[in-house]
Amino acid sequence: MILNRVIAFIGLGNPGEKFSNTKHNAGFWVVTEWAKRYQLSFEPGKGQYIVAKHRKRGVLLIKPLAGMNLSGTAVKQASNEWNLLPSETFIIVDDVDLPLGKIRLKPKGGDGCHRGLENIIYHLQTDNFPRVRLGIGTEENMRPAEKYVMKPFKLNKKSEVDRMIVLGADVLDSISTKGLDSSMNKFNS
C-alpha cells in the first residue's frame, strides 16, 4: 500500500496582536499569504499550533502558538500527528543576516543563532530539515538582534516587506509543485 505523503510549511512567529507586526513574524506572514491565495482557513491543531490544509497539493500550513523560542514543541507535535519526515518539514523563518527581501532556501543546516530554529532542532533531534530563510536585515542597527526582531519595520520599508511576503508565497508554490531542488535553483540565484 502506497501512502500519500504530505509536506508542511511551518511559519515561525509570535502569536498575539502585540507581536503581529514585528519582524520576527515574517514566517507567519508568508504562510498567511499562501493560505489567502488558496482560500484556506486556519483551525486549531492537535497541539500548540493552528493548521490549514491544502488537500489537493498535500500541504499543511502550520503556525506554532507557544512563541518563537518554544516553536519546537509544536513542530514535534505536528510531525507526530502527520508522521512527517524531517525532509517534509519546511520551516519558514526570519533571518536578520539576510538583507530585507532576500530569500534563501536550504535543505538543512544549523540554527544560525536563531532561538526558534534551535528549539526545533532540539525537539526533532536533527537539523536535517529544509528551511526558507526570509531576509529582514536593514540599514538600522540590528544588534542586539533580540531587540531588532521584536520591532516593526519602518513605514518606508512597507513595499519591500510586501514584495518579500509575495515572493515567499511564490517560493512555497514552487516547492509544493516542483520540489525543493528545482526551487533552490530558481530562487537562490
Side-chain angles (χ1 to χ4, degrees), residues 54-112:
H54 192 306
R55 295 184 195 289
K56 196 170 185 180
R57 287 209 186 162
V59 174
L60 304 170
L61 297 175
I62 295 171
K63 294 183 190 179
L65 297 178
M68 175 66 78
N69 296 348
L70 301 173
S71 298
T73 302
V75 173
K76 180 70 172 170
Q77 290 167 338
S79 294
N80 289 342
E81 174 69 21
W82 284 285
N83 296 312
L84 296 169
L85 300 171
S87 62
E88 299 165 337
T89 307
F90 292 79
I91 305 299
I92 321 304
V93 61
D94 62 281
D95 190 328
V96 71
D97 293 323
L98 284 176
L100 177 59
K102 197 78 163 166
I103 296 180
R104 284 283 174 260
L105 287 74
K106 292 181 67 177
K108 61 182 178 178
D111 62 34

Side-chain angles (χ1 to χ4, degrees), residues 111 113-123:
D111 62 34
C113 298
H114 191 288
R115 293 210 177 107
L117 284 175
E118 176 184 40
N119 194 255
I120 293 168
I121 291 167
Y122 172 79
H123 282 279

Side-chain angles (χ1 to χ4, degrees), residues 14-32:
N14 284 306
E17 194 59 38
K18 177 181 175 184
F19 302 107
S20 64
N21 292 319
T22 64
K23 299 172 188 88
H24 228 8
N25 275 29
F28 274 12
W29 301 338
V30 169
V31 296
T32 299

Side-chain angles (χ1 to χ4, degrees), residues 30 33-34 37 101-105 132 134 160-174 186-187:
V30 169
E33 172 66 22
W34 203 80
R37 286 184 184 186
K102 197 78 163 166
I103 296 180
R104 284 283 174 260
L105 287 74
V132 177
L134 307 166
E160 286 178 76
V161 172
D162 291 345
R163 279 194 301 273
M164 177 187 68
I165 294 167
V166 169
L167 181 61
D170 292 345
V171 168
L172 302 190
D173 262 334
S174 179
K186 180 176 181 179
F187 293 99

